[in-house]
Amino acid sequence: MYDVIIIGAGVSGAAAARELSRYRLKVCVLEKEEDVCCGTSKANSALVHSGYDAAHGSLMAKLNVAGSAMMEELSLELDFPYKRIGSLMVCTSNEDLPQLQTLYSRGIQNGVKGLSVITGKEEIREIEPNLADDVVAVLHAASAGIVCPFGLNIAMAENAAANGVEFFFDTKVERIFSNKKEQSGFQVKTSKGIFETRCIVNAAGVYADVFHNMVSNRKIHITARAGEYCLLDKSAGEHVNHTVFALPTKLGKGVLVSPTIHGNLLVGPTAVNIEDKEDTATTREGLTELIEKAGMSVRKLPIRQVITSFTGLRAHEDNHDFLIGELPDVPGFVDCAGIESPGLTASPAIGLMVADIIREKLQPEVNPDFNGRRTGILNPNTLSKEERAALIAAKPAYGNVICRCETVTEGEIIDAIRRPLGAKSLDGVKRRVRAGMGRCQAGFCSPRVMEILSRELGMDMKKVTKNGAGSELLLGTNKDRL
Amino acid sequence: MKEYDIVVIGGGPAGLASALAAKENGIKDILILERDRELGGILNQCIHNGFGLHTFKEELTGPEYAARYIERVVDMKISYKLHTMVLDIRPDKVITAMNKEEGLFEIRTKAIILAMGCRERARGALNIPGYRPAGIFSAGTAQWLVNKEGYLPGREVVILGSGDIGLIMARRMTLEGAKVKVVAELMPYSGGLKRNIVQCLDDYGIPLKLAHTIIDIKGKKRLEGVTLAQVDENGKPVLGTEEEYSCDTLLLSVGLIPENELSGGMGVAMNPVTSGPFVNESLETNREGVFACGNVLHVHDLVDFVSEEAAVAGKNAAKYVKNQSENRVSAANSEEIVQDTKVCLKPVNGVRYTVPSTINPSRMEENQIVRFRVGAVYKNKTIGVYFDGEEVLKRKRMVMAPGEMEEVKLSKTMFLSHPNVQSITIQVEDV
């Protein structure tokens, strides 16, 4: 019997797991995919929003500002990449100035610090030279930043695991039964058997409504809202210094252009409601729209430098707010639903809030062995030449470059595989150390990473997958059917 | 810090031939830096034949062709390091590299030959919509898996792009037991050599659909199928021409990009058309003593021409090193003379670029080969070469295509009869 079962190992589930590991609780995370960070958490704008966007008084606004304030310290504690670069909301018409002012005022109401409206072309150009020529004003948010979404999610999950939370992958929740006899607790039927628990945290992203509606009579509805993105080569990474948003106008919502924490340039997202909760396909219309819109706030965008494009699904709840709390009609079932943007930013605060709800309910003792520190995968590029030479002398695998575009060594890949909740697939390795994320998009390194996975995990090459069962990369051997 | 006369970046066909030429021209301290596990570069996975017809007048496989150069490199005691990744080249020719045995190390050199080759363009650069399942490989990655490791990436294959590697892989996959259903090419002409269309597609009954592209990719975990559509003259899909192909594998052969990240880092000026450095008649870049050859300079069709070009770079690098040591005391500023007499080559009217892009007549050999590509398919046209508007050469061509590199030979006598020539124009024109 578990005290808490968390459904979903995305950023919300991982944050909740880590916060719950501060207490003497038996906690597990059930994840249908083969790894953490496989849904909404892996495909988004990778931003730490300052918090002026969400409606004043909403849970979204509160947790956004709180999460943003926690991010820097958390990044040091959990050793994941985060950088406060500031954001600019670009206004290109005097007519739209009131909207910019509205956002500013809302930000102040929400408690966002470091906001200022800058007018005057000279001054604007000075802080961001490549903004569109017709820019008339910008809303500068100094507290906004960029983060590695995989890094944040994986770090919180690893730390939770190190503090005793169990993770079950490839474990899809199929049914949830309330224990009618004991008036409390649940039976959770999964693809890997039945789990029993006192409480459930529903952090299932776009599927959160499915689990909510399994147990509650007060139905909710979550729409998967697809957002397409283009990622540009690192040669374009310095095209802008801030995250650049376009002020929504009568002509619609613009797209953002932002440096990523790894030095690429990200353009996106579109917003299209879709029926299929797994539909992460990109579309011709979406990619065309991105290319057209990106030029509206940023000039001379080197759009030919696109190295990949992808679609993320936002878990959009009908009332457009986070739904976090114990269900009145289902005691012990805690929703963590509708976590769309700024969910990544808010995640540390979401984890805290969920843990507080559980703590009040179960009154657990504090876990005296909790250690909130986690050491990330060593990135040799951050070392001095001397340190790097010493590292290779001690561990020669750090001298063997596997991914040429991102200069990722065998040593880093081995670390990504061997650590707790380690990588089991090509995408798992990619999310942890960036092998295959560069300009050749894994052309050179994928066979080599496959070899390392096969060797480290003791599995046949033909069993190596891109992202879990069903995505095997090799289907046979030469002439095996001739 | 260890010092060399010449460091060659890359141990593929260009690196090997340039190192050999430098050695034959009297340079002793040469080092080849190779990031892979063996010398020979991409030739090692090109197990088909067709290599060496120009160089050796016989038909060799890729590994055989490479072996001829590797054996000579070993015989001539040219040193090389394998598994060695160059991380950075400074403008003062200090190279930072890394391998397992020596860790991170720096070396200084008098001259550098850039021979890093090229990489394949990936799906992301094409903006093909759809899912991102397993089963989408660049043709070269599939070639490595099949030819080097013996694994079949898939059984039902569609190939996008008719570059040579894609065509070669259509045949290879067929021979290994896969069914290659179609090769689709966006352009109205093939990107590969005519002989590969005949020998790799026609001979196996594999259809080639020109002016077609993939407009959708299906399958969430493993590829399940693609949608093909015809494109109009602007490359846009034509409504109503969609065709579904079920397949578990998509190979991409949609272009090669010279790998010039290191060159760019040291300030070498790049030609946006080739994505390779601008070079002069000596294949020297704008950085004195830095030479480039092979696919890092411009993408070639035939390795024979890579070897030929690389030998020129090696010879000139040797000349540079020798001049430098002779002139060290007198410090004759030969560079200024070079600048003064630089003749620019102008590719116009169908000619996309030229290598070299400038010629110094006083430095050129008896004959200067100028290589280029055309931008479309031309039938029964001529190539015209003009010195300041005056015709000096006309060459008839039955067929010219972007997939086949062209060349013209300029002789010293042409320059002698035009001593004050400022620019040379090369163009496609009617007969």
Side-chain angles (χ1 to χ4, degrees):
Chain A
M1 168 76 90
Y2 285 93
D3 293 312
V4 185
I5 281 179
I6 299 167
I7 305 174
V11 77
S12 304
R18 176 171 184 263
E19 286 305 325
L20 287 170
S21 72
R22 295 176 189 272
Y23 304 100
R24 279 201 163 145
L25 290 169
K26 192 169 159 57
V27 181
C28 78
V29 179
L30 305 181
E31 169 57 53
K32 74 177 164 66
E33 300 295 329
E34 50 109 32
D35 196 358
V36 302
C37 198
C38 282
T40 301
S41 304
K42 77 164 179 181
N44 50 67
S45 307
L47 299 179
V48 176
H49 292 273
S50 62
Y52 57 70
D53 209 36
H56 180 57
S58 65
L59 189 56
M60 227 177 220
K62 186 181 145 195
L63 297 183
N64 180 348
V65 174
S68 170
M70 292 166 75
M71 201 60 83
E72 183 163 26
E73 204 186 315
L74 193 67
S75 74
L76 298 172
E77 202 178 5
L78 293 179
D79 197 8
F80 62 83
Y82 159 75
K83 204 169 160 193
R84 187 172 289 157
I85 60 167
S87 69
L88 301 173
M89 176 66 80
V90 173
C91 175
T92 52
S93 143
N94 284 317
E95 253 176 66
D96 297 328
L97 273 174
Q99 275 102 293
L100 201 69
Q101 205 59 45
T102 305
L103 289 177
Y104 172 81
S105 309
R106 195 194 292 162
I108 300 296
Q109 278 185 312
N110 289 351
V112 180
K113 301 214 171 62
L115 284 181
S116 58
V117 173
I118 305 170
T119 50
K121 277 203 162 99
E122 293 284 299
E123 204 183 332
I124 294 171
R125 178 114 319 146
E126 201 155 290
I127 60 167
E128 195 59 87
N130 278 329
L131 290 186
D133 289 323
D134 49 0
V135 56
V136 292
V138 296
L139 172 58
H140 179 231
S143 68
I146 49 179
V147 65
C148 173
F150 326 119
L152 168 61
N153 195 157
I154 290 166
M156 292 192 295
E158 271 184 22
N159 190 239
N163 286 305
V165 175
E166 295 172 66
F167 282 77
F168 296 92
F169 295 105
D170 295 313
T171 305
K172 187 177 179 182
V173 173
E174 290 162 350
R175 297 290 297 275
I176 300 171
F177 304 99
S178 300
N179 281 340
K180 291 271 155 47
K181 259 186 272 170
E182 286 143 53
Q183 299 265 315
S184 75
F186 303 90
Q187 273 202 336
V188 179
K189 184 174 177 289
T190 76
S191 56
K192 291 275 177 75
I194 289 170
F195 291 73
E196 298 202 320
T197 183
R198 296 166 72 192
C199 296
I200 288 176
V201 173
N202 174 22
V206 289
Y207 290 97
D209 57 345
V210 175
F211 299 118
H212 172 108
N213 295 343
M214 267 183 199
V215 295
S216 174
N217 290 320
R218 303 178 188 183
K219 305 296 178 194
I220 61 168
H221 180 241
I222 295 197
T223 310
R225 186 173 279 179
E228 298 188 34
Y229 293 88
C230 289
L231 188 73
L232 275 63
D233 190 275
K234 283 183 173 175
S235 61
E238 290 173 9
H239 195 72
V240 292
N241 315 307
H242 300 79
T243 298
V244 177
F245 299 102
L247 187 67
T249 65
K250 275 170 275 171
L251 300 172
K253 202 166 178 259
V255 299
L256 67 90
V257 178
S258 179
T260 71
I261 194 78
H262 299 289
N264 298 83
L265 196 73
L266 186 67
V267 177
T270 57
V272 178
N273 293 342
I274 52 171
E275 291 302 316
D276 179 354
K277 292 186 189 243
E278 298 283 321
D279 186 358
T280 53
T282 52
T283 61
R284 182 166 295 273
E285 300 74 32
L287 297 173
T288 310
E289 181 187 333
L290 282 187
I291 291 166
E292 275 171 15
K293 281 191 173 174
M296 283 158 53
S297 49
V298 172
R299 61 178 182 172
K300 295 188 214 152
L301 194 75
I303 203 72
R304 287 174 59 94
Q305 300 283 334
V306 171
I307 59 171
T308 189
S309 47
F310 59 89
T311 297
L313 299 179
R314 311 169 182 90
H316 176 71
E317 193 272 325
D318 287 355
N319 297 311
H320 189 54
D321 200 1
F322 296 159
L323 290 181
I324 300 175
E326 188 177 8
L327 302 191
D329 62 335
V330 193
F333 190 99
V334 179
D335 257 345
C336 187
I339 312 298
E340 59 177 315
S341 177
L344 189 70
T345 310
S347 61
I350 291 173
L352 260 182
M353 184 172 171
V354 169
D356 279 346
I357 294 167
I358 300 283
R359 184 173 49 86
E360 296 234 329
K361 189 168 180 67
L362 300 181
Q363 301 287 329
E365 287 172 42
V366 166
N367 173 6
D369 301 325
F370 176 80
N371 176 2
R373 284 213 158 303
R374 169 250 185 197
T375 309
I377 296 169
L378 176 65
N379 178 357
N381 291 322
T382 60
L383 301 178
S384 71
K385 281 192 173 175
E386 294 71 29
E387 289 168 333
R388 198 161 178 175
L391 174 68
I392 300 169
K395 295 177 179 170
Y398 283 94
N400 185 22
V401 174
I402 301 294
C403 167
R404 296 158 174 186
C405 301
E406 296 289 316
T407 333
V408 181
T409 65
E410 187 181 356
E412 293 154 82
I413 295 172
I414 291 173
D415 188 0
I417 297 170
R418 289 187 188 167
R419 60 176 40 229
L421 307 183
K424 300 184 283 285
S425 64
L426 274 191
D427 282 358
V429 169
K430 179 164 89 170
R431 282 192 292 274
R432 283 167 179 81
V433 294
R434 299 185 54 74
M437 211 174 265
R439 46 180 67 100
C440 94
Q441 290 285 299
F444 269 118
C445 71
S446 54
R448 285 134 181 113
V449 176
M450 286 161 67
E451 273 172 33
I452 298 171
L453 278 163
S454 154
R455 184 189 74 207
E456 289 292 318
L457 299 174
M459 61 175 163
D460 189 274
M461 277 286 274
K462 292 202 287 287
K463 296 265 184 276
V464 177
T465 67
K466 181 173 186 288
N467 51 23
S471 67
E472 285 73 16
L473 289 143
L474 303 172
L475 299 188
T477 50
N478 291 350
K479 297 189 173 68
D480 58 357
R481 295 216 181 143
L482 289 182
Chain B
M1 198 186 299
K2 248 192 146 170
E3 297 204 12
Y4 291 88
D5 288 327
I6 297 177
V7 172
V8 180
I9 318 288
L16 293 169
S18 65
L20 281 168
K23 188 82 175 184
E24 281 161 1
N25 281 276
I27 302 299
K28 289 198 183 68
D29 278 336
I30 302 171
L31 174 67
I32 303 172
L33 296 176
E34 168 55 46
R35 56 190 179 183
D36 221 319
R37 53 186 84 161
E38 55 192 332
L39 292 174
I42 205 71
L43 287 172
N44 291 316
Q45 69 185 60
C46 299
I47 62 173
H48 53 281
N49 58 1
F51 300 90
L53 284 168
H54 296 262
T55 312
F56 300 111
K57 310 291 174 226
E58 57 183 308
E59 220 176 356
L60 305 173
T61 64
E64 285 172 330
Y65 186 94
R68 299 219 172 170
Y69 286 85
I70 296 169
E71 279 162 19
R72 283 175 62 211
V73 162
V74 172
D75 283 348
M76 294 179 79
K77 300 194 168 49
I78 296 174
S79 52
Y80 60 88
K81 293 180 193 293
L82 302 177
H83 294 290
T84 303
M85 183 80 185
V86 174
L87 300 178
D88 177 57
I89 310 173
R90 286 202 329 232
D92 61 354
K93 302 194 185 74
V94 171
I95 296 166
T96 307
M98 184 167 83
N99 63 32
K100 275 186 173 181
E101 291 73 31
E102 294 158 279
L104 197 68
F105 58 94
E106 288 186 340
I107 48 181
R108 186 185 293 279
T109 179
K110 290 174 188 155
I112 291 172
I113 299 174
L114 303 171
M116 293 88 79
C118 57
R119 65 166 174 268
E120 295 177 281
R121 179 169 281 132
R123 173 192 173 188
L126 309 173
N127 287 334
I128 306 173
Y131 284 95
R132 299 188 298 150
I136 304 171
F137 300 90
S138 71
T141 306
Q143 190 177 45
W144 168 277
L145 289 166
V146 173
N147 291 356
K148 294 288 285 185
E149 305 198 352
Y151 291 112
L152 209 52
R155 302 196 180 278
E156 295 197 307
V157 185
V158 168
I159 299 179
L160 177 64
S162 59
D164 287 312
I165 314 173
L167 301 175
I168 295 285
M169 281 311 291
R171 176 174 64 185
R172 174 61 51 198
M173 294 292 285
T174 306
L175 294 174
E176 301 301 347
K179 169 79 185 157
V180 178
K181 295 189 165 177
V182 66
V183 176
E185 167 61 55
L186 179 72
M187 305 305 284
Y189 48 82
S190 158
L193 294 171
K194 178 75 185 161
R195 74 174 196 206
N196 283 335
I197 305 266
V198 174
Q199 294 171 9
C200 300
L201 301 187
D202 298 354
D203 287 359
Y204 297 87
I206 300 167
L208 170 63
K209 294 206 159 197
L210 297 174
H212 275 71
T213 193
I214 289 176
I215 58 161
D216 196 18
I217 291 176
K218 298 185 183 69
K220 289 172 185 176
K221 284 286 184 178
R222 176 82 197 193
L223 183 66
E224 289 165 9
V226 297
T227 309
L228 232 62
Q230 203 177 325
V231 295
D232 62 20
E233 54 275 18
N234 301 314
K236 296 261 177 280
V238 178
L239 211 69
T241 63
E242 298 85 357
E243 283 176 279
E244 306 291 327
Y245 283 85
S246 77
C247 58
D248 54 39
T249 303
L250 171 63
L251 299 188
L252 300 175
S253 182
V254 289
L256 299 168
I257 306 165
E259 289 236 85
N260 273 300
E261 282 67 34
L262 287 170
S263 329
M266 67 181 301
V268 167
M270 292 294 156
N271 183 338
V273 178
T274 56
S275 299
F278 282 112
V279 290
N280 63 20
E281 75 298 320
S282 308
L283 304 184
E284 187 181 24
T285 68
N286 65 317
R287 286 271 171 208
E288 194 189 303
V290 178
F291 299 80
C293 55
N295 283 350
V296 83
L297 177 57
H298 59 146
V299 174
H300 294 63
D301 317 317
L302 297 176
V303 71
D304 301 73
F305 296 144
V306 168
S307 301
E308 185 183 299
E309 180 181 277
V312 173
K315 186 178 169 188
N316 286 312
K319 208 188 276 179
Y320 170 83
V321 170
K322 283 189 276 185
N323 277 346
Q324 240 207 351
S325 30
E326 281 163 20
N327 295 348
R328 191 164 286 171
V329 188
S330 62
N333 48 6
S334 56
E335 194 56 26
E336 262 174 42
I337 300 166
V338 170
Q339 303 253 321
D340 283 346
T341 53
K342 196 160 72 175
V343 183
C344 289
L345 281 88
K346 292 186 179 159
V348 293
N349 196 23
V351 177
R352 294 188 63 231
Y353 71 89
T354 64
V355 167
S357 53
T358 62
I359 293 174
N360 177 349
S362 65
R363 273 193 180 178
M364 72 181 277
E365 303 276 321
E366 211 45 56
N367 286 304
Q368 174 76 46
I369 292 177
V370 176
R371 298 205 158 99
F372 59 91
R373 283 182 194 272
V374 292
V377 175
Y378 295 100
K379 287 188 175 152
N380 295 316
K381 296 274 180 181
T382 46
I383 291 292
V385 179
Y386 298 82
F387 278 33
D388 289 335
E390 187 185 327
E391 180 189 313
V392 295
L393 191 70
K394 248 188 188 318
R395 285 278 175 274
K396 257 199 177 168
R397 290 283 198 279
M398 298 279 279
V399 182
M400 288 186 289
E404 316 235 359
M405 193 182 278
E406 297 286 335
E407 64 175 55
V408 289
K409 222 178 258 177
L410 305 184
S411 67
K412 196 128 197 169
T413 40
M414 292 176 187
F415 286 88
L416 287 174
S417 55
H418 298 81
N420 297 318
V421 60
Q422 298 287 315
S423 74
I424 299 169
T425 308
I426 302 186
Q427 64 182 37
V428 177
E429 51 196 49
D430 293 327
V431 178

